[in-house]
Every structure is written in C-alpha cells, then in structure tokens.
C-alpha cells in the first residue's frame, strides 16, 4: 500500500518568525537567515525549520518585515 502524501499548511503559509544566526565580531553583529518558525494551531508552541544549524553564536527569532526583500541581510546591526 502506498503512503499518502499529506501537505501541511507550512509550505503555503508565510512564516510567523524568521530565524537568524547572529554572531558578534568586536562591536559589529552579523545576521544570517537560517530558517523560519510557524505557530501551532493551538497557539501553544512553534515549529522551527532550520536550513542550517550553526555551532556558535545565537539564534534569534524575529517577525518578518512586510517590505523586506527575500535575500539574506548580512551585516545588519
């Protein structure tokens, strides 16, 4: 019997948050987009999808900017 292919709303819905890997070099912070997060239907959690998993720095979840381009913003302070 073949498996059924169920598609979640995550693929079609914009993420609730973007995940950024932030590193500090001196006084400057470097931000690289590494994934996204979606709120669960019951509002009690999030699904975090990372495209890469950094081994240093920190991961910050931020609301997406509506007018922001879809490219990574390196060097954002």
């Amino acid at each position: 019997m073949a498996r059924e292919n169920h598609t979640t709303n995550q693929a079609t819905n914009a993420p609730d948050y973007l995940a950024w890997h932030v590193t500090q070099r001196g006084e400057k912070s470097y931000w690289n987009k590494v994934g996204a997060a979606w709120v669960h239907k019951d509002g009690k959690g999030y699904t975090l999808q990372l495209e890469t998993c950094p081994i240093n720095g920190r991961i910050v979840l931020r609301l997406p900017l509506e007018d922001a381009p879809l490219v990574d913003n390196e060097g954002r302070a």
Side-chain angles (χ1 to χ4, degrees):
M1 180 177 209
R3 289 187 181 189
E4 292 182 32
N5 188 6
H6 293 283
T7 306
T8 65
N9 287 340
Q10 288 180 2
T12 58
N13 290 338
D16 296 299
Y17 292 92
L18 295 178
W20 298 89
H21 172 235
V22 184
T23 55
Q24 191 81 27
R25 292 188 196 142
E27 302 226 355
K28 191 164 184 167
S29 295
Y30 293 88
W31 292 60
N32 293 297
K33 189 167 61 171
V34 294
W38 292 263
V39 68
H40 290 179
K41 288 181 183 178
D42 63 6
K44 295 183 179 182
Y46 293 90
T47 296
L48 177 61
Q49 180 177 334
L50 296 175
E51 301 300 323
T52 184
C53 191
I55 58 171
N56 63 346
R58 63 188 186 271
I59 295 176
V60 176
L61 296 177
R62 298 281 300 180
L63 291 171
L65 299 175
E66 292 181 20
D67 59 346
L70 295 177
V71 296
D72 291 348
N73 292 331
E74 269 192 58
R76 193 175 89 175

